[in-house]
Amino acid sequence: MATAQTKETTYIGVSKPRVDVREKVTGAAVYTDDIQFGAALLHARVKRSPHPHALIKKVDISKAKELPGVRVVVTGQDFPYFTGLYLKDRNIFARDRVRFVGEAVAGVAAITEEIAEQALDLIEVEYEVLPGVFDAVKGAEPGAPLLHPNLGDYEVPNFIFPVPDSNIANHFKVRKGDVETAFAEAATVVEHTFKVPHVQHVPIEPHIAIAQVDGDGNVTLWASSQSPFAQRNLIAKSLNIPESKVRVIAPLIGGGFGCKAGVTMETIPVAIAMKAGGHPVKFRLTREEEFYTNFVRQGLTAKVKVACDKNGKLTAIQNQMWWDGGGYTDYGVNITRAGGYSGTGPFNAPNIWVDSMCIYTNHPVGGAYRGFGMSEVHTGIVQVMSMLAEKAGVDFVDFLKMNVIQEGEKVLTGMTMHKTGIKDCIEKVAKEINWGVKDAPTAPNRKRGKGIAVMWKAPAMPPNAGSSALIKLNEDASVTVMVGGQEIGQGTFTAMAQIAAEAMGVPFESVKVKGPIDTQYSPYEWQTVASRLTWSMGNAVRNAAMDARHKILEVVAEAWGEDIENLDIKEGYVISYASEESISLKDIVVYGIPREGYNGWVGGPIVGSGSFMPSYVTGLDKETGQGDRAVVHYTTGAQAVDLEVDLDTGQLYIHRAVSAFDVGKAINPDLVRCQIEGGFVQGMSSAIFEEMRLVEGVMQNPSFVDYRIATTMDVPAKIDAYIVEAAQDDGPWGARGVGEHPMVPTIPCLANAIYDAIGVRVPNPPLSAEKVYLTMLDNGVVK
């Protein structure tokens, strides 16, 4: 085989061969980073804790440093700073103790990944094993082993409420009315405790990042990231360097679902690169590491009690939630907050009591996951409402329409509810599923049932999370849109192009949204989370487009001597309603327009800028959770399924799924339907198959062999998606987000349908065939 032609070139102080890519790909697997960085690239691996909770007595790295090919070895002693998005409770590498299996204790960078792995075996760590906390409810009790004795000293924003000298990292409360009296006087009361397990995001692309630090201390990070600007901020603070010296570049990513929000593993290659003398450092999580060393969806135990009067009208809701936050809760505390201010689900009652507590445990670290806690919250609250309706003798659809929140009513935190189409959503899915009609099963060994569920979700974010956008026009009248929000498969770049085209009056085909996101050049965006980009970044893009449009019209008005109010832009042409003149945007948006007789010029390159930040979100009282406006808005919806249960195996056969969501205004209806369909499938996967099996803090199923996710074979033959539009007052053309919401009601929807089919409730996911069958066996449904 012919060898590649090479020549020597200097690269960051080392000699690297430059290889012709076309010839190199004929050999071993070639990665883009190998081509970009060449032989200078170092590969990082991490020494991880085998214990869920232990003191670190000694870390000896001397043997690892002597291994040929090893360039850098670091420990927690090299980086004493704390980091975290909402609660600064963790170091880059553990310093005094480890708090979950897989926590990073030391890092190695070597010329190959294999050598780095060998070096890990040479690092000697002496531990003193401590008692662990493996149950959130028990962890919240007085006397439980304290995992963070210094909790009271951690830095937190003013809307997170840790309880010092406990494992309660955040305690969000809502107190409204008198629940005790309401329960005592109610016609019907139902109470039940629900448990939702940890699950993994399992993106097809695992976490990967490459960091490089130059001689002036400037950091460049290439990362698979939903949050490049948040990463820039957090990495700078965790390493005590200015934000201006940190640059994050985030190409398109292969799935996120929340696990690539905030900062998780990305600080590790940056920290190592700071000691690497200019070498770029690559760190890639293996699939096993992806399962339990990075963000997971938190587990939840929820004790829900509800009451109604003789007509089925809700009188009281009590929801006590213990969130299993894991060893660190820097992101998880805000999930707890979101669970608290949404703790009633989309239901209205005069008397409400909510406790939402984020508990430190010795489980993997909980973080953002599609739905941000709402799937977990709705698992209990919607099922218990179904139980209450049945006990009160009220049809569940009638019960829902009677008790869901409506425009003008006060939500649990005291905020006045905006316009919502939730009743339309309920009616749509109930009609489509033929609610109230008991259909015959398709086989004698099956039972058939229907279920319905409702949901709401607000963007969970700080009160001042902002967006910005830039719009540049080119000589050929094409439009370049620059944003800081990430494209993660949800179609946000398409939606932003549509918004820009509509606001400017140019053809959609002429608009391009440019990537990758680069904090050095892209305009600021808080994070690509919370289903907020269509609303927040969409407003920024619209404002930037309107700014560019106004500048163009000003130029033409001056050149033509016309009133700007008589001018418009249609299909890339400026037209005058007064003189009926028109002119193409080509050239004039860069070169301007000559004055009469070419006596000077008007205009010049057109660049539009726009930003958006909600200014009206208020703080909430620490003890009551009451305030004028807790959130920017709620997206609401409903879902229904028609399924069968196999009496011989417990397997579920979903014939049809129907979803309807109020999106305010669908900027791109096809993309909205895709989100609704995909959300149901992911919700179904987490409802039926997914569970991180944790024993004493150790995950028993960290691979796709034992961790089951839905495939195309599991998808129902018919999934229907319906769009309801009750316009949001501050959204672009009334739009609000719908990216996460379609998977929120799926667990209770399926659980309600199973109950309707077999007459026995299987309340806690996963609703696996084994669990369904054993429940039927235990309750005499089958023998």
Side-chain angles (χ1 to χ4, degrees), residues 291-343:
F291 268 106
Y292 63 86
T293 71
N294 224 58
F295 277 164
V296 303
R297 191 182 78 181
Q298 297 180 119
L300 174 67
T301 299
K303 184 179 180 181
V304 189
K305 186 177 182 179
V306 292
C308 66
D309 63 19
K310 63 180 181 180
N311 298 314
K313 186 69 174 175
L314 282 171
T315 58
I317 301 173
Q318 184 174 30
N319 194 355
Q320 296 172 280
M321 293 173 279
W322 294 264
W323 298 86
D324 189 327
Y328 300 91
T329 64
D330 53 303
Y331 214 133
V333 289
N334 198 42
I335 300 171
T336 302
R337 179 172 179 266
Y341 61 61
S342 302

Side-chain angles (χ1 to χ4, degrees), residues 26 29 39 48-49 89 116 130 155 163 252 263 268 270 316 319 328 333 349 412 415 450 468 485 522 554 704 711 775:
T26 63
R48 299 188 180 277
S49 168
D89 65 349
L130 299 173
E155 181 182 340
V163 180
L252 299 180
V263 170
I268 290 175
V270 174
N319 194 355
Y328 300 91
V333 289
L412 69 161
M415 167 182 155
K450 297 174 182 178
S468 58
S522 302
E554 280 186 323
F704 286 129
T711 69
T775 300

Side-chain angles (χ1 to χ4, degrees), residues 714-769:
D714 303 302
V715 176
K718 192 170 179 56
I719 303 177
D720 293 308
Y722 294 95
I723 297 170
V724 173
E725 296 178 318
Q728 184 63 35
D729 57 359
D730 64 346
W733 293 280
R736 53 179 168 264
V738 72
E740 300 167 278
H741 308 78
M743 73 172 293
V744 169
T746 310
I747 296 173
C749 185
L750 290 169
N752 286 343
I754 293 169
Y755 176 76
D756 184 54
I758 65 176
V760 179
R761 190 163 288 278
V762 187
N764 302 323
L767 309 173
S768 63

